[in-house]
Each structure stands twice: as structure tokens, then as C-alpha cells.
Amino acid sequence: MTRDRIDTHQHYIPAPYRREMEANHRSAGGWPTPNWSVEGAIALMDTEEIATGILSVSAPGTHFGNDAQARDLSREVNEFGAEIVKDRPDRFGLFASLPLPDVDGALAEVAYAFDKLDADGVVLMSNVHGTYLGDPRYEPLWAELNERKAVVFIHPDAPPIEMLDGMPSPLLDFPFDTTRTAVHMVAMGVMKRHSKMKVILSHGGGFLPYAAYRFTGAAAFHEGITPEGILEDLRKFYFDTALSSTPASLPSLTAFADPTHITYGSDYPFAPSTRQFNEMLDHSELDEATKAAINRGNAELLFPRLARSATRTTLPR
């Protein structure tokens, strides 16, 4: 079995981060926090043909209500992740965490993550304490990420609504919140103004591909945008396949997305069914060139340091 996939949706759980979640009685939207270790991650990666995993902190992110503590925690988890990458640059990459909604702290951490830690990108939660990513207060951050041509990974968090009994947010609400923040970003012009950055949406973009044409109706409520412009900006997003490589999801995703904008995602260690979803991707009706692009080639374009010239396979632009 050969290792080939580049996993753009793989999580890590540093001990300080776990302690902070427990101290604040928080979890990933009511989902149990699994065990994690570098050794366990590599074992899963070897089994599932994953060459490299780009690590990120999952929901609820690093801000638990105090700006100073969020800055410290973000720095701590980012330095922890950078050490993992330093030890095994072939097997791991890093999406650095930012202490939003503290914009000044986030800008400082962007500079440290890229200039000192050589991060591969940043991870943002879909909402932070109910503030979504199209909010004008985040404009300085988007401008900086765009100037750096950064790769931005957006992970969902629980929306500011009551969770249904027996329905933890990752099960039901996360796809909704990814969709909500993506459409908000487009309607507020974020994707139009900042076209140099690359933004990956988790879990196949929630239900964005399925309902994209419905969202063009936002043009009626925002001056200066058109239905055609909304579709154009929605197609600027990248989409990972985490928990989304099913016979029901893939046709909608591949019908909507730019074929070079789909990347492989495992959602390890939060998804106990990684193998099941990998098998559905591997045995899907997609042609082999498309599968190769999703598994590796498209991510090589996002992360050139991981490119293998001998095995590079991508779809034509």
C-alpha cells in the first residue's frame, strides 16, 4: 500500500488545548473529545494511504472569552504544531490558530505563524461567539491574509442557536454553519475583495454546493452584487471531502465546484468512520484523474512544498 493522499482536514489536540476545553467545560459542539497522539495519527495515515496531514485545532477554537488567554493559547498550540512539522515535514503541515474575535491578536499571530513558524496556512472557526466571518470588523485580517496569499481553512463551530436534544452540533449543525459563514462572506464581498487568498471549506462546504443557486437571491438584499457574481464568488472556495465523499454528496460537489478546488479530508481523530468514507471515494464513479487530483494533486497546488514532480497529477485548469 502506497502513501499518497494529502489530508487538508486533520486535527491535533495538544494537551494544553484539551486542558483549556475541560476547564471551560467546552467540546466540539457536544462531541466527545477523542484521544490523539502523533503516533496514532501516523498509524492511521499509514493505514489510509495518507502521505501528509495538515494539522488544525478543531472547534471551539482557541478563544474561551478572554483575549489575553486566547493569544497565549493560540501561540502555545501553534508552537506545538510547528514542532511536529519540524520533526516530520514529510508527514505533517500546520494550519495555525488565531485568537479571534481579537483582531489585533489575530494579526500578530498571523505574522508569527508565517514569519517564524513557517505555517502552511491558518484555521478559522465559522463563527466566534456568534460573529460570522463576513463581519466588517474582520476586514483587516482578510486584507492581511490576502496580501500573504494565504491558505485559509474554515472549520465549523456550533451556531448561536439551541442544540437539539440528542443531536450534537457536529452531527447536524456544523454543515449549516459552514454554509452560513461562506454565504455571508460572499454577500459581504470578502471573496470579491480578496481574491489572492485560497479558502477551504470543511465537509464539502456543508450544503453550499447543493443549494448554491438558491443563495443567488442574496443579490436582492445587497447593493453592488449580482446573482452571477454570487455564483462566481462561491466557486472561488475550495472544498474538502471530510465526511462528504458519499454517493449522495459527491455528485453535487463535483457538479458545482471547480474541479481543481476539491481536496481530500479525513477529519481524524474526530471521525470514527474515516475508512468507510475513503472506500466510498475510492469506489466512486469519478474517473481516476479526478480521484488523483482530489487525493493529492489539487493540494499540491495549494502547498507547493509537498509537490512530487514524479507523481503530480492534476486536472487541467
Side-chain angles (χ1 to χ4, degrees):
M1 186 175 291
T2 59
R3 297 194 301 265
D4 190 61
R5 306 187 212 260
I6 295 175
D7 184 358
T8 65
H9 190 145
Q10 186 176 138
H11 298 300
Y12 70 128
I13 309 172
Y17 182 63
R18 184 187 293 271
R19 288 196 298 268
E20 195 69 23
M21 285 197 296
E22 292 173 351
N24 287 275
H25 306 289
R26 294 289 299 277
S27 65
W31 198 264
T33 304
N35 294 323
W36 176 87
S37 68
V38 171
E39 295 77 16
I42 290 177
L44 180 280
M45 291 160 68
D46 288 345
T47 299
E48 296 302 323
E49 302 184 69
I50 300 170
T52 307
I54 313 297
L55 300 173
S56 60
V57 164
S58 185
T62 54
H63 199 292
F64 294 90
N66 181 285
D67 285 353
Q69 292 176 359
R71 292 186 186 196
D72 290 343
L73 183 60
S74 297
R75 180 65 53 88
E76 193 167 12
V77 301
N78 290 342
E79 290 181 337
F80 183 92
E83 285 299 311
I84 297 173
V85 179
K86 181 179 177 181
D87 290 341
R88 294 300 306 269
D90 57 327
R91 302 310 303 272
F92 294 106
L94 176 65
F95 285 127
S97 294
L98 305 180
L100 287 180
D102 174 12
V103 174
D104 289 340
L107 289 169
E109 196 59 27
V110 165
Y112 186 78
F114 284 113
D115 299 338
K116 301 296 184 182
L117 300 181
D118 294 323
D120 294 287
V122 299
V123 56
L124 305 178
M125 297 301 112
S126 55
N127 83 86
V128 184
H129 311 314
T131 300
Y132 284 83
L133 296 179
D135 193 287
R137 76 188 74 177
Y138 290 160
E139 181 61 19
L141 176 61
W142 289 125
E144 178 65 18
L145 293 171
N146 188 64
E147 185 64 25
R148 289 178 177 271
K149 301 180 181 179
V151 180
V152 180
F153 174 50
I154 295 179
H155 192 277
D157 197 3
I161 59 176
E162 184 176 356
M163 189 171 66
L164 295 177
D165 186 39
M167 295 287 176
S169 286
L171 180 68
L172 181 61
D173 301 329
F174 274 20
F176 156 75
D177 216 57
T178 297
T179 306
R180 196 178 202 205
T181 208
V183 176
H184 190 231
M185 289 170 65
V186 167
M188 300 302 289
V190 173
M191 299 302 289
K192 180 72 70 179
R193 291 191 300 273
H194 305 299
S195 59
K196 294 187 289 186
M197 63 185 181
K198 311 296 183 184
V199 182
I200 306 173
L201 300 178
S202 298
H203 310 121
F207 57 87
L208 188 155
Y210 180 81
Y213 286 85
R214 176 189 180 100
F215 301 139
T216 61
F221 303 94
H222 296 268
E223 293 185 5
I225 62 175
T226 65
E228 296 77 15
I230 289 175
L231 282 178
E232 178 182 350
D233 288 344
L234 289 174
R235 285 197 171 97
K236 291 177 181 176
F237 287 113
Y238 288 70
F239 305 84
D240 74 48
T241 64
L243 301 177
S244 304
S245 52
T246 72
S249 300
L250 275 179
S252 178
L253 177 58
T254 55
F256 175 76
D258 179 331
T260 69
H261 284 204
I262 305 174
T263 63
Y264 168 79
S266 72
D267 212 341
Y268 177 81
F270 287 90
S273 50
T274 298
R275 171 164 289 187
Q276 175 187 355
F277 283 92
N278 285 351
E279 289 178 349
M280 284 189 279
L281 175 60
D282 292 343
H283 295 97
S284 70
E285 296 183 357
L286 299 176
D287 60 64
E288 292 305 311
T290 301
K291 291 178 186 177
I294 291 172
N295 279 322
R296 184 175 187 90
N298 292 338
E300 285 187 327
L301 297 175
L302 290 173
F303 309 104
R305 75 174 184 85
L306 299 176
R308 296 176 182 167
S309 59
T311 61
R312 182 168 177 170
T313 306
T314 60
L315 293 179
R317 286 190 176 275

